[in-house]
Each structure stands twice: as C-alpha cells, then as structure tokens.
Amino acid sequence: MSEITASEPVRHRIRAWSGVLPLLAMLAGAFLFHIAVGAKPLPVTTVFDALISFDPTNFDHVIVQNLRLPRAVLALVVGAALSLAGALMQGVTRNPLADPGLLGLTTGAAFAVVLAQTVFGVAALAAMPWIAMSGALGAAVIVFFISRLVPGGATPLSMTLAGAAVSAFLGTIISIIHLLNQDTFENLRVWLTGSLAGRDITLLWYTGPWMLIAFVAGVLLAPRVTVLAMGDEVAQGLGVKTGWLKAQLLAVVVVLTACSVALAGPLGFIGLVIPHVVRLYVGSDYRWIVPYSALVGAAYLISVDIVARIAIPPREISTGIITALVGAPLFVHLVRRRAR
C-alpha cells in the first residue's frame, strides 16, 4: 500500500509531461489552420512561405501578414490570458464557479472603457489597458466588499452572487449609455459582444509587456496556489503569507483580464470552463493546471474563432457569441460530471 502511494506523484508527473508535446502540436496546428482558412482559402505551404519569407508583392502573403496573422495572435494571447486568470481565481477563492466574467472583472473593464470613450472622449490606444485595469480592479474591490457584508462573510457563494449582481448593474449602465449615445453604440456594439475581427494589433504593443509579466508571475505563483487551495490555515502553517499572496494573484488576474478585454472585448466562459477541462487530465495540482490552462485556452479560442469566421459564410459571427454557445452547455456537462 505504501509503495502505491509513493509512486502516485511520479505517475502523475509522467502523465502531465506526456501531454505537453501533443498539446503544443495541437496549438500549432490550430494556429496554422486559423491563418489558412477564410474567404480565400490558402495552402499551408503558402502560409509557411508568408511567415518565413514574406513577399510584399504576393497578394496571399499580404493577406497572411496584414489580416490573418494579427487575428490569430490576438486569439492565442487572449485565450491563454483568460484561461490562466480563471484557473488562478478558482484556486485562490476555492470556488469552482470563479472566473473573471462571473466575478464582475470583465464587465468592470468593459464599463470603464465605454465610460472613458463616451463620457470623457478618451480614444488613445495607449490609455486603454490602464482604463480597463482600473475598471476590473474597481469591480473586484466592490464584489469583495459586498460579499463581506453578507452574513457569513466572503464565501464562494456570496462572492459569486455579488459578482453576478455587479455585472448585471454595470451591464445595465452600459446599455443606458448606449441608449443616450447612438454613435458610440455603433462604434462599440461589436466589441462589446467579444470580437477579434478588425482589432488593431497596435494595441498589443501596449498590453503585451503587462500581459507577459502577468503570465510569468502567474506560472511562478502557481505552486503556492496549490497550497492556498488547501485553506488559509494550512497555507499559513506551511509558511505562506496568504494576504500578500492573494494581493499578488489579484494583480495578475486584473492585468490579464483587463488587457484581454481591451484587446477583444468581454469574452465569457473561457476562464470558467477551460480550468475544469484541464483538471480532468492533470488533477488538482496548480503547477500543472496554470500552464495547461494557458495552452488549452489559447487553442480553444483559436478554434472557436475559426468557427466564428466560417460558420455562415460570407457573414461572420462575433467570437463572444460562439464562446457562449459552446461554453454554456460544456460547463453544464462538466458540472454534472463532477456531481456524479
């Protein structure tokens, strides 16, 4: 019996490592397929040529470099960011329903961007990450204090309910702003559904450095999230400064969520569903859940965006609509599976 128990972590590590290469291959395949498909299908060899030896006189190469490659990169970055943020939130709150959308961060970031553009006339791309971060952080603080006022304190249930209430309230304010200003409604209506179409890749220059720092910090903090998921008392007994760790994790989640919203609008269900899917394979160790969530989330959003582009040609569906249509039933299935 003792031999079986001692060998279990080894088998778990072998199983986790064995999935890395197939996952990277799947991600690379989805990335290339995303670039190849569209109104004008392109051979994979042409995609490789455009990426490796770009010819500005070749129309297919121009399509790849100017249109499809930026969109594929945005899908990869945003999918990884939201999934990683969701995994960290579920670990630190010990709430399987936690994700940037359900706890109000996504709507808070969107509300701040809409308010800045419509009321204060701020349109500078460089300001968008900061505006979105302030909105996401403000929503997180409001949700936390509301949940603290509930009898019993900030439990997973009270935080989820407070997040839903804050999201609904801010969503209503956004609707009122749009009713009062039809011009901004036309400018932002597609972005508010969550879309990668026509997004300015320049924005990635402003958000990229912050997201890279948050990615690295999230992966480095992941082992302590595993300890924190056992409970504050256990973590403190093992020498973890829980208050400081939670503040660091909140900063990581806010940066990843806000930058994702600035890039692609509010996309739902990615941060909620992907960590659950990952747990089915790697278990409950956040050293594996966090990086796996980033890779699977990137592949997932790239795949969903392919569907959004080719489902009803020649029209295109907002990516956020597809993530909701796919994510909602998938989440219900996962919840039913865990309940058995």
Side-chain angles (χ1 to χ4, degrees), residues 47-333:
V47 174
F48 272 117
D49 289 341
L51 296 177
I52 297 171
S53 55
F54 174 63
D55 179 2
T57 64
N58 187 318
F59 183 62
D60 290 344
H61 287 198
V62 173
I63 291 175
V64 170
Q65 287 283 348
N66 294 353
L67 297 176
R68 297 186 182 177
L69 179 60
R71 181 164 178 165
V73 170
L74 287 178
L76 185 149
V77 171
V78 172
L82 289 176
S83 301
L84 198 153
L88 292 177
M89 289 192 74
Q90 290 173 13
V92 73
T93 62
R94 299 188 290 279
N95 181 358
L97 295 178
D99 105 306
L102 280 181
L103 295 188
L105 274 70
T106 304
T107 311
F111 170 75
V113 171
V114 170
L115 191 68
Q117 293 196 16
T118 57
V119 178
F120 300 105
V122 179
L125 290 178
M128 288 302 116
W130 296 101
I131 293 170
M133 277 189 249
S134 64
L137 181 60
V141 172
I142 292 172
V143 168
F144 176 74
F145 278 106
I146 290 177
S147 62
R148 292 275 292 180
L149 296 176
V150 175
T155 63
L157 178 60
S158 65
M159 292 184 70
T160 303
L161 293 175
V166 170
S167 294
F169 177 76
L170 294 179
T172 303
I173 299 297
I174 291 174
S175 298
I176 292 173
I177 291 173
H178 284 156
L179 286 174
L180 297 176
N181 193 328
Q182 288 295 322
D183 292 336
T184 57
F185 171 71
E186 289 299 324
N187 293 333
L188 295 173
R189 66 184 177 86
V190 176
W191 175 78
L192 280 170
T193 62
S195 176
L196 296 164
R199 302 303 300 161
D200 191 344
I201 193 66
T202 307
L203 192 55
L204 192 58
W205 290 108
Y206 300 108
T207 59
W210 295 105
M211 298 180 85
L212 180 60
I213 294 172
F215 273 121
V216 174
V219 172
L220 293 177
L221 292 172
R224 282 186 276 176
V225 177
T226 303
V227 179
L228 193 62
M230 300 176 186
D232 285 3
E233 293 183 358
V234 173
Q236 290 168 358
L238 294 173
V240 176
K241 298 178 180 177
T242 55
W244 173 235
L245 177 58
K246 289 179 180 178
Q248 292 175 296
L249 291 169
L250 175 62
V252 170
V253 170
V254 166
V255 169
L256 291 176
T257 304
C259 290
S260 297
V261 172
L263 287 171
L267 291 166
F269 286 101
I270 299 174
L272 179 64
V273 170
I274 297 301
H276 285 280
V277 174
V278 167
R279 281 191 195 90
L280 295 177
Y281 185 75
V282 301
S284 58
D285 189 341
Y286 278 85
R287 290 177 299 179
W288 292 105
I289 291 175
V290 168
Y292 257 82
S293 293
L295 293 175
V296 175
Y300 172 73
L301 188 55
I302 288 174
S303 303
V304 165
D305 196 45
I306 292 172
V307 175
R309 291 167 57 201
I310 67 175
I312 50 172
R315 294 185 177 180
E316 185 174 308
I317 308 171
S318 288
T319 313
I321 295 175
I322 302 296
T323 61
L325 289 175
V326 175
L330 183 58
F331 179 68
V332 171
H333 169 71

